[in-house]
Structures are given as C-alpha cells and as structure tokens.
Amino acid sequence: MRRALAVLAMLVAGMAAPAAEGACRLNGASISNPDDPTCRDAMFRYVESATTSNDEVTLGYPVPLPLDSLTPVDGFRTYESLKARHQELAVMLDTVEAVPVGQSGMGETIVAYRMGDSDRTTPLGDPEPAVLVNGTIHAREWQSPEVVTGLMEMLALRSADGGIGQYLSDNLNVVILPILNIDGFRQTQRYPERFSADPDQPRDGRMRRKNMRYDGGLVDTDLDNTADNFQGVDLNRNNEHGYGQNNSSSTDPVSLINRGPAIASEPEILALQAAAALAPAGQLRLYVDVHSFSQIYFAPLTGNSRRDELTVQLMQRMRAVTNFKYRDGRSTASGTGNDAIGTTADYFAYEYQVPSWTLELEPLNGGQDYGGTASHGHSGFILPDSEIARVRDEQAQTHLLGFYRQAGPPNVVAVEVRAASDGQVVYRAEWTGNGGRRSLQVSTNMALLPGAQYRLWIAFSKPMRWRDENGEMQPFAGQTVGADSGSARLEFPGQNVASLPLRIDRAAVWNMAPGGAPDGYHRYADDSLSVDFTLPANVAERSAQPVMLVLDNADLSGQKLDADPVTPVSWTNGHWSGFENELGEEGDIGGLDCSISFFAATDANANPPADSPSCKPAAPTSTGGGGGGALLWLLPMLAGFSFVSARPRRAT
Amino acid sequence: MPRAQALQLARDGVSDEVIRELKTLATRGDSTALAARIEILLSDASLEPAARERALETGTFLLGALPPERKARQVLRQISQLEPQTWVWLEEGGHRVSVPLYDPAAAARVSERAWLAREAEARFSNKLGTTAPELVDDLARASLAERSGVISAIAHAPAAQLLHSKPSILAALDQGVAVGWYAAEVAARTYDSELALAAIEHAEPREALDMLDALGDRLAPGDILPLLLHSLRSPALASHSLFVLARLAPVSPAALSQIWQELENEENGGSAAAALARLSSPEAAMRAAAVTVDPDRDDALRRRALLALCLDNGDAAQRHLQLLTQSLGDSSLGQKASQCAGR
C-alpha cells in the first residue's frame, strides 16, 4: 500500500513542472563543485510513474523497499533480515560456519561463511579446494546480497541431497562473504527512495556506492547533513595489483572511484583478505565478486596463458547456463597486466592466479529492460522487485555448475566386475589415498571366462550426470554432456580380437540409488554406472591375457577424466596439476582412462598375466616384469587405437 | 562516450531553450501543441543527438502528465519506436561498458502506461463499490497499468462504498478469479479482516505481504492477530508475519506467545528466533538460554533458541551467550554458541 500510494501521488499529478535535473558539474566520476549548495544539498526521490516534478526521478516501476523476511521474497530483504538468514544457516547447519573476519568503520562485524563439511579433506584424503564469493562491495547494488545469499541458501538446501550438493559439501570449501560494505549498504536501506546531489551522478542515500569512511572519520548517516555526502572510499579500487593505475581511480575524496589513501587501507578489504585465508588462500580455485549492473563477466587476463584459458573456459561454461545473456568481458591486455585497476577481481587474479572476475548482474541496459526508464543511465542499480527472485535462481544454478567444475576433474575411483551367472565378484579395485599419491588396491582379480556374461560397475569421483526435477537425465542448463555422452570399450592388447564397445551412452546405465556395486551409486547419485557385457569367445585362447578398460567420459560440465588417478589433481600457478591425459602428459584437458585392466583366461583358476597394459608410452626401464611394468609391445599398436589418434592438444 | 561529455552535449543552450518551450506548453495544458512541438523535435537535425534525446525524454514525461489527446498518442507511439542514440560509459565501473543515457522510447512506454492508469482510474472511480456484475470481470482483466489506476481510485473512494462489492469479490475469489490484488488493496484501505483473510489466501505473496505490513501498523492487535496466525501457515508470508508479530509483542501477550510457539516450528522457527531477537528483552533472552541448555529439548529447537540469542545485541542476550559457551563446551551446539559469541 505504501507503493500504491506512491503510484497514486504520481498519477494524479497533472501539473507540468521542470523534470529532475541537477546542478552538479560532473568531471568524470567526480564533481567539480562539491561545496556548491545547489549541488551538495540537492535531494531527489525515485518514483514509479511519469513525473514532472523537480526533485523526482521516474523509474517506471514500483520503487523497491526492503522487507523484513528471512525467507526469499519477490523483492529485497532488509540488511537485518539477510544477516539473520545467514546466521540461521550457520547455527542450524553443521555444514555452515560463521567466522568474523573484520569490523566495518562503524563497528559492524563483517562475517564470512565457510560452507562445506567440517573436515578440510576430500573423501579420497586430498586437501579440499576452495572458492570465494564476495557480495555487496558497492552499497547500492542490492542485487548482489540477494544473489549471494541465494547461493548460500542453495548450497545449504542441497548439502545433503545425495547428489551434486552433497558432493560439493564433501569436496569443496565454499567461502562466502555476503555483505562486505555493511555501512554503505545500511545507508542505502535507510533511504530506499532518496538520493542526493544530481540525477546524472547520484550519490548518498539509495545511490551510495562507497563505504562510509574518509580521512580517518566517518560519514554521518543523516542524508540531510550534506557536508560529507560525497565522501567514502571505493572498495573496488583499494586493492593491490592495479591500485592507482590506468586512470580508473582517483585520489579525489569526492570521486565515486576514490581509491583510498593506500593499498588495502580499508577494513573491509582486510576483511576480504581474511575471508580468503579461510579457504585457505592457497587452495583457492575461483573468486567471484558480485556486482550490478550491465550483465557481464569482467575477467582480468593476467598473461598466464593457462590460467587465462581456464578462466575463459569456466566463464563460457557458466555463461552458457543462462544462454549467454551475460556478456564476455575478459580484459584485452593479456600478458601485460596493464589493465588492472585495483579491483578485488584483479587482486585475486594476479595474487593467486585463479579464475577471477567481477560479475555484473542484470539488467543489461537499465530499468528500461523491464518496462521502466533509463533514469539518466542509473536505473540499472534498482532492479524491480519482481525480477530478483528469477535472478537469484539463475545465478544459484550458474554457480552450482561453476563450483562443481572447479572442485576438480573427475577420475575413476572404483571398478567391479561380477559374473552374471552367479553374481560372483571376479574383479574389484579401488583407488585409495596414500600420502598425496594414490594407489590402486585390487582386492579381487580372477579370470574372466571367454563367452561369459558380466556386469561391470564403474564409480567416478563426482556425480557425472544431471537430472531434472522429475528425475529425467538431461544436460545441465547450457551444457552438452547428457545421457548419450561418453564411451567405453574393452581392449585386448596383444590379441587379434576386436575391441568390445560398452554401451554407456544412455541414462539407464547410471545409478541413482545408493548401495554401491553392482547397481547402486558409490558416494553420490549418478557417480557410477553399471553395464553388462559378454566377453568374446575368442580371447585368451592360449594363455591368460589382459583385458583393458578404456573409458572416455566427461563430467556434467564437460571436463574430461584425469587419466592417471595416481597423482591427485590440484591447482598450481594458475593451472591444474596432476591432470593427465592417456599418454601421461600433464595439462588442463584430461583424457582417456586406461588405468583399469583385468584378465581373461579359459581356466577360471588361472593366474593373472605378469604385465598390465597401459595407454602410456613405455618409460625406459631396465627391469622387466613386476607389477605395472610397461609393455613395449603396446607401443606400435598405439597408433592404431582410436583413443590415441584423438590425442589432445597439450596445454602450455 | 564518457558520461560527462555526453551530458555536456545534452545540456547545451539550445536544448535548454527547447525544454523551456516544452514546459511552457505543458503548463498551459495544451497536449496537442506540446505533441506537435515534440514531433518537430523528432526530425530536428540541428540538435545534437544527446540534446534531442534529453528534450524528447523530458517532453515525453510532460506529455504523459497531460490528457491523452489524439495527436499526443500518435507522437508517443512514434517515440516508443526509437532506439537510444547516446550511450555512455559506466565510468565508475572502470571497464567502459556502455548504457543508454536517455531512452525516450522507454519513457514513452511509461507515459502511455500512465495514461492507461489515469483512464482506468476515471473508469473505475464510479464503479468501485457497486454491485455491478461486470465489475469483477473488469478487475480480473485489468492490465498492470490499469491496476495502478484502480489502486488510485481505491485510495480516493470512501471506505464504506468500497465494501459494497465485498460479497462479489469474495465469491469471485472462491471461484478462482484473479482479483486477489484488489482484495488486498481494499482490505488495506478499509481494514476489513474478511477481505484481508481472502487476500492472504489468494493474492500474490508480495501483494499480501505489503497488505500485512500496512495493516500491522493500523489495526488493533486483536484484529491483526487472526490474520497473522493465518499467514503463518503460508511459507511465503510466515517469516514477514513473525516480524509483524514482533512489533505487536510489547503490547500483546498473545503475539509474544505465538512467536514462542513458532520457535518450535521447523519451518518458521528461524524467523521466530529473529523476531524474538528484535524484542531484545532480558526475559526473552533468559527463556531462550534456558531452552538452549535443556538437553531434553530437541536439538533443532535448542539451536533456534541459540539463534535468538545470537541475533540479539542486547546485554542480557550477550551475557547468556557467554555463559552458554562455557556450559555447552565443545559440543556441536557449544561450537555454534562460540561462533555467535565471537561476533
């Protein structure tokens, strides 16, 4: 009804008066006459409908007013509600930990939330990777705290879903700082309809961008005390790497982009760095700073070619989730670092060499995208109430994919083969952690008999497929990997027997119920598949012979298998490490997994052959025999195998 | 181009003069003359594009405030087809992403909606509160712009008159007709509990929330309480309703009692904890602390009681929190208490 009355007031106004215009002399992001009362003391009000008043600016939709509600609403929540929501998640769930990381200028505790299980290791015993999301660095961008809170809600809701959410909880340390610029944000919520200065460069009140500190003091919260309304530091120019460079910040304290007196001079920036330490910083694989508006990923390219390529790949995957309506804003000065301007995204890109960006949320152009007005180019900071729920949901989905991908490439973790006739396990192997390296523990290795039927169960380290709300297997939004993706076959090295394709490119093979082998999932829904096969009758006619499983698969974000599970994948200097293709080459692409082989023999009690086959070329060795020895005879055959001919490009 | 440069072009002396001229015509209330002048602007090549767009946008808003004469409609329709010409960098973004400085077409669409709203207001002013059978159908068919007009009409209509149509509105809601928004607006205007209850059931959540917010300040606790109890059963309304209950709690024992009751509710408990924290009363803090330490209570309830203390910055709550960190030790709940005390 408050909104209704505002509408009413505007609609009945029939008298023409000058439209809102200011008297500030704009100088880029600054103002030349900040002490001029006609500029400094000017006050304006946003209204919904066409107005001709001097001090009103038409939005064309109801002016959003913050509402008290812990649960999401069609609109924007108050700071107190958002904070209560974050703390509710932290107190109620053991998978959410609230950690104070600093104090704002006005004494508010800045809290980061660590989301994920309480240990810092994956189920395979490796250190958990981490991602960091920052929200509300710019006070007026109300989309940001809603979207970041939406991420928290999504992760909390999914943390025990048995699928992708649980996988993230077990394998990824998600650090979220939902409201960094608390003082500024609260100031915007004190005056949700009012702003000062000039419609062409609105400042305090609803349009405050900066924090509330200046020259050792604090901006007072009374909008009508105008003397300090222009003050404050732009926290997104206060960071190392680009600080003061590229003419994109200012020492002028009244500038919108005042960078502050020194690098990281502001308590909020120190709090962000403390939040990164929760990851810990060395485990980071992604940083996102959520802003609005203009619908774009501003991704700094640092000149580290592998990091830059992986950043772009991840960005494209995430952009695809919303059908590329968010734009590609990668920087252009790759290799020089010359376009850094001291944003937090610059800081994390250069300092930690991880994919890092400033995500500018909707709208693309401004309020006119939703039937409103351009409002001097600034209405985009005021998303209509009616749009935020959708934006929240879209971004939750987008980041679910991004987090999943950065949690690491998939690898095979266990394989089992059972005889169809009696269900006897004839082969069982599992990769287990061993002080930073893994080893394949083969617990059962009996002969497979020519002509017999078997069920093969293969488990991966993560959920590999996505299902819609009806349980139907579908590609994740904007992605291509679906039920019909992936291939597998059995190879019979050294024998003149054609390879045996295994039909894993269908939804029916994936296991969505618990229980493990032979028909259940391993740790998470759709992390394993079961497929039947009949061993060709003409294998191992004279002696026990190896049977090599060749797997070509990708996770639901399109990331291929780590072909050598011995070395766990990690992130080093801007790229994956321990991520090999089938030839054992490290890179960022992965490849075919040939790490599993069993054997065939006509005698059920036969011993396995001494050597195991491998996709890898033989390493020079003087000791033949012994477990895992290279098979020199395999080398000439490699060129004939399709999996070798599809050798991936080596990343540099 | 940089915003400052674009503004300099837009605010040149010529466009200032044009805008003064447009305002003079608007002040006279001469919609047709104003429209004719704007039409000339549309093809005036002597003006910088930025200056022309500024003048067009201003003129469009002026026109929207006048009666929609034929010429005015025609001109607005023309303007609504224009693409923005002046794109300015969001300088504060540091990345030179451009957005339109002016968008006369968007302004035209807003002005056209304002006309629709005013027409609807005039049309419905006499109808509201009647028992005319077509009223409900007209309301259900109203566009968003027309709804704005109806809402204006509601604000001006005598409350008693509005209630004449209450039976037909309630009947329509029962039959699934989409007039929940109207029930919410009329309930907020008339403080009618029956309509408010119907709005809670049938209006869009945001409409119902705004209604509850408005009624929470105007109705006596005894009148608003049944509505809030009803809305507590709606997942979309419950959380906000608990905050409204917190506003009533200092003067309404029943409201306070309900908040405590909701603390035990799995869905609403978190919001109830936040509502208790907002009271920041020593009594509430003591009771929350007692629930938190009681090992016979359900773990989730104990956590929600702890949450109430966490969110309460009052001295009493903070004292209890400190004591809890000691008494609960290293248990899961104790760790959560420590996290709260740490902030």
Side-chain angles (χ1 to χ4, degrees), chain A residues 548-626:
Chain A
M548 184 168 67
L549 173 63
V550 180
L551 268 173
D552 183 9
N553 217 322
D555 69 17
L556 59 88
S557 79
Q559 202 152 30
K560 299 192 81 154
L561 293 169
D562 171 25
D564 185 5
V566 171
T567 52
V569 175
S570 187
W571 184 273
T572 310
N573 193 28
H575 56 77
W576 298 111
S577 59
F579 187 19
E580 293 90 1
N581 65 14
E582 62 275 11
L583 301 177
E585 298 167 330
E586 273 211 45
D588 297 318
I589 295 171
L592 307 180
D593 181 293
C594 314
S595 65
I596 302 293
S597 60
F598 16 94
F599 77 99
T602 51
D603 176 2
N605 296 316
N607 288 322
D611 291 323
S612 299
S614 166
C615 301
K616 295 181 189 176
T621 174
S622 58
T623 56

Side-chain angles (χ1 to χ4, degrees), chain A residues 271-311:
Chain A
L272 178 60
Q273 292 176 7
L278 298 175
Q283 288 299 110
L284 277 179
R285 290 182 188 173
L286 172 65
Y287 171 75
V288 180
D289 192 21
V290 182
H291 289 244
S292 64
F293 66 97
S294 66
Q295 229 164 280
I296 190 167
Y297 289 70
F298 286 123
L301 300 185
T302 64
N304 176 340
S305 59
R306 285 176 69 177
R307 188 215 76 101
D308 291 349
E309 188 171 335
L310 286 166
T311 296

Side-chain angles (χ1 to χ4, degrees), chain A residues 1 3-4 8 18 21 60 68 70 87 90-91 93-94 96 98 140 200 209 237 298 371 376, chain B residues 3 7 11 23 54 92 95 97 113 151 156 185 188 206 210 213 239-240 278 303 332 336 339 343:
Chain A
M1 309 319 97
R3 297 192 295 178
L8 162 74
E21 286 193 346
D68 277 323
L70 266 65
Q87 297 199 6
V91 170
L93 299 172
D94 288 335
V96 185
R140 62 187 169 183
D200 285 320
R209 164 185 169 94
R237 297 293 186 279
F298 286 123
H376 308 250
Chain B
R3 179 191 300 273
L7 286 168
R11 289 182 180 184
K23 286 171 181 169
R54 173 184 169 223
E92 62 270 31
H95 302 283
V97 163
R113 289 207 305 275
I151 290 166
H156 282 104
E185 295 290 342
R206 183 63 201 235
D210 286 341
D213 213 30
S239 184
H240 182 68
R278 190 157 284 192
R303 286 181 186 238
S332 175
K336 294 296 182 187
Q339 287 174 26
R343 7 178 228 280

Side-chain angles (χ1 to χ4, degrees), chain A residues 239-539:
Chain A
N239 301 272
E240 194 182 349
H241 299 292
Y243 176 82
Q245 293 175 9
N246 291 306
N247 206 25
S248 289
S249 64
S250 169
T251 55
D252 179 359
V254 309
S255 168
L256 274 171
I257 48 177
N258 170 35
R259 58 180 170 259
I263 291 173
S265 60
E266 301 309 294
E268 292 88 351
I269 293 305
L270 296 175
L272 178 60
Q273 292 176 7
L278 298 175
Q283 288 299 110
L284 277 179
R285 290 182 188 173
L286 172 65
Y287 171 75
V288 180
D289 192 21
V290 182
H291 289 244
S292 64
F293 66 97
S294 66
Q295 229 164 280
I296 190 167
Y297 289 70
F298 286 123
L301 300 185
T302 64
N304 176 340
S305 59
R306 285 176 69 177
R307 188 215 76 101
D308 291 349
E309 188 171 335
L310 286 166
T311 296
V312 170
Q313 283 173 8
L314 177 64
M315 176 180 70
Q316 305 295 46
R317 290 283 172 185
M318 292 174 73
R319 289 177 61 223
V321 175
T322 49
N323 200 22
F324 298 99
K325 74 177 179 184
Y326 281 77
R327 294 177 287 172
D328 173 353
R330 73 183 90 170
S331 65
T332 52
S334 176
T336 64
N338 277 346
D339 54 358
I341 59 174
T343 65
T344 63
D346 287 329
Y347 175 74
F348 283 95
Y350 285 92
E351 187 70 20
Y352 296 108
Q353 294 293 329
V354 295
S356 169
W357 49 67
T358 303
L359 172 61
E360 299 281 2
L361 297 168
E362 289 189 31
L364 182 66
N365 299 305
Q368 63 270 40
D369 295 354
Y370 315 103
T373 69
S375 296
H376 308 250
H378 274 94
S379 56
F381 293 118
I382 308 179
L383 190 77
D385 279 331
S386 54
E387 304 296 329
I388 188 63
R390 176 185 52 75
V391 175
R392 245 184 342 240
D393 292 348
E394 287 176 357
Q395 287 305 318
Q397 189 83 339
T398 298
H399 284 80
L400 184 67
L401 182 88
F403 295 169
Y404 167 88
R405 187 172 172 91
Q406 288 308 92
N411 61 271
V412 173
V413 293
V415 171
E416 186 183 281
V417 182
R418 285 179 192 236
S421 55
D422 58 3
Q424 183 183 15
V425 176
V426 295
Y427 181 85
R428 169 91 196 182
E430 188 158 357
W431 287 101
T432 58
N434 182 19
R437 287 174 73 82
R438 301 192 193 110
S439 59
L440 187 66
Q441 302 295 318
V442 182
S443 54
T444 305
N445 193 11
M446 298 167 63
L448 277 67
L449 301 176
Q453 291 185 331
Y454 296 93
R455 166 152 289 202
L456 170 66
W457 176 85
I458 307 168
F460 300 90
S461 55
K462 64 199 299 191
M464 298 291 279
R465 296 292 181 269
W466 176 253
R467 291 180 192 270
D468 62 20
E469 57 273 20
N470 301 317
E472 296 295 322
M473 190 168 283
Q474 304 284 353
F476 194 93
Q479 313 303 306
T480 53
V481 171
D484 58 355
S485 304
S487 68
R489 63 181 183 276
L490 299 179
E491 297 281 356
F492 308 99
Q495 302 175 78
N496 189 22
V497 178
S499 63
L500 177 67
L502 304 175
R503 286 292 315 279
I504 66 166
D505 54 345
R506 53 208 168 97
V509 302
W510 291 96
N511 299 315
M512 58 185 296
D519 300 313
Y521 64 69
H522 184 50
R523 289 195 177 90
Y524 315 106
D526 296 310
D527 72 352
S528 76
L529 60 85
S530 302
V531 62
D532 296 328
F533 68 91
T534 302
L535 200 65
N538 56 344
V539 298

Side-chain angles (χ1 to χ4, degrees), chain A residues 1-5 7-8 11-19 21-24 26-29 48-52 58-61 65 67-71 73-76 78 80-81 83-84 87-88 90-98 100 109 111 113 138 140 198 200-201 209 234 237 248 256-257 293-294 296 298 327 341 343 358 360 364-365 368 371-378 381 385, chain B residues 3-4 7 11 16 19 23 26-27 54 57-58 61-62 64-66 84 87-88 90-103 106-107 109-111 113-114 117-118 121 145 148-149 151-153 155-156 184-185 188-189 204-207 209-211 213-214 218 235-236 239-241 243 247 267 269-271 274 278 299-301 303-304 306-307 310-311 313 332-333 336 339-340 342-343:
Chain A
M1 309 319 97
R2 280 176 298 173
R3 297 192 295 178
L5 293 176
V7 174
L8 162 74
L11 290 176
V12 297
M15 293 304 293
E21 286 193 346
C24 295
L26 308 187
N27 177 19
E48 176 182 356
S49 197
T51 177
T52 54
T58 299
L59 281 181
Y61 43 82
L65 303 176
L67 191 82
D68 277 323
S69 176
L70 266 65
T71 49
V73 292
D74 275 338
F76 298 87
T78 59
E80 289 75 15
S81 297
K83 178 177 152 188
Q87 297 199 6
E88 179 191 21
V91 170
M92 298 307 295
L93 299 172
D94 288 335
T95 52
V96 185
E97 180 189 2
T109 303
V111 183
Y113 296 84
H138 287 149
R140 62 187 169 183
D198 192 311
D200 285 320
Q201 199 180 98
R209 164 185 169 94
D234 181 353
R237 297 293 186 279
S248 289
L256 274 171
I257 48 177
F293 66 97
S294 66
I296 190 167
F298 286 123
R327 294 177 287 172
I341 59 174
T343 65
T358 303
E360 299 281 2
L364 182 66
N365 299 305
Q368 63 270 40
T373 69
S375 296
H376 308 250
H378 274 94
F381 293 118
D385 279 331
Chain B
R3 179 191 300 273
L7 286 168
R11 289 182 180 184
D16 283 347
I19 286 172
K23 286 171 181 169
T27 308
R54 173 184 169 223
E57 194 171 276
T58 305
F61 284 135
L62 292 168
L66 295 177
W87 292 75
V88 294
L90 284 175
E91 282 155 336
E92 62 270 31
H95 302 283
R96 297 198 170 176
V97 163
S98 293
V99 298
L101 181 60
Y102 302 106
D103 192 338
R109 290 190 283 271
V110 170
S111 284
R113 289 207 305 275
R118 282 211 302 280
E121 182 184 358
S148 291
I151 290 166
S152 299
H156 282 104
E185 295 290 342
R189 171 84 173 83
E204 291 295 321
R206 183 63 201 235
E207 293 160 357
L209 285 171
D210 286 341
M211 178 194 74
D213 213 30
R218 295 176 201 162
S239 184
H240 182 68
S241 300
F243 283 101
R247 299 206 302 252
E267 300 299 325
S271 298
R278 190 157 284 192
D299 178 65
L301 173 61
R303 286 181 186 238
R304 290 193 287 269
L306 175 63
L307 177 63
C310 287
L311 296 173
N313 289 325
S332 175
L333 200 58
K336 294 296 182 187
Q339 287 174 26
C340 288
R343 7 178 228 280

Side-chain angles (χ1 to χ4, degrees), chain B residues 49 82 102 171 232 306 309 314 321:
Chain B
L82 298 178
Y102 302 106
L232 286 173
L306 175 63
L309 295 171
L321 209 47

Side-chain angles (χ1 to χ4, degrees), chain A residues 177-239:
Chain A
L177 212 170
I179 304 175
L180 182 68
N181 182 5
I182 297 175
D183 297 344
F185 182 51
R186 295 189 77 186
Q187 178 72 348
T188 63
Q189 292 210 327
R190 281 185 197 103
Y191 303 100
E193 297 167 288
R194 294 180 64 202
F195 67 87
S196 67
D198 192 311
D200 285 320
Q201 199 180 98
R203 287 304 191 96
D204 206 5
R206 175 65 179 86
M207 280 292 119
R208 171 162 283 274
R209 164 185 169 94
K210 303 187 285 183
N211 72 359
M212 300 281 276
R213 273 166 43 96
Y214 73 101
D215 199 18
L218 292 172
V219 177
D220 76 89
T221 57
D222 185 348
L223 185 62
D224 295 309
N225 282 343
T226 56
D228 54 6
N229 279 4
F230 295 114
Q231 301 289 340
V233 173
D234 181 353
L235 299 171
N236 211 29
R237 297 293 186 279
N238 190 234
N239 301 272

